[in-house]
Amino acid sequence: MDDNRRKKANLRPSWDEYFLEIAKVVSTRATCLRRRYGAVIVKDNVIVSTGYNGSPRGAVNCIDSGVCKRKELNVPPGQRYELCVAVHAEQNAIVNGPPERMKDATIYIAGFEADGSLADGRPCLLCRRMIRNAQISKVVYLSRNGEIVRVDKLEELEEVDTVPTPLFKNPEDS
């Protein structure tokens, strides 16, 4: 049901809609110049932890320095994370939450591009590994087109990622 009809009918949002809205609010704390992500970990419809993407505690963040190394080098999304000072929203939510509450929990992820449009909330490979290691059992995220994607089996997220094209070509390979 679209938002206007929901408001007119005074209906409550589904749990997925509710926690994704909270993830959107959490994303407003992000310190990245390129994208803002928020993550909310929930168990039994109770929030366990939240996280947003940004530099580690005590480190200078991109919005304060005004510098994004990946942006300066035109690095495509999903590549060369070693150049980035930020920690992903999912990672921050996991490290900030009590491990015993993670088992069989659900993580909700929402993100925005710098221009305010939706970014794809599908977790990257490293975040998927951390989600699995934290024993979180479900992932719900907003896709770029606003669709709610619910993954009840983490194996469904493990589609083969494309191998990124190298950013810098080695002249000896020619």
Side-chain angles (χ1 to χ4, degrees), residues 71-84:
K71 188 174 183 176
E72 285 179 348
L73 296 172
N74 293 317
V75 176
Q79 297 181 24
R80 304 294 312 272
Y81 284 125
E82 73 276 9
L83 298 174
C84 182

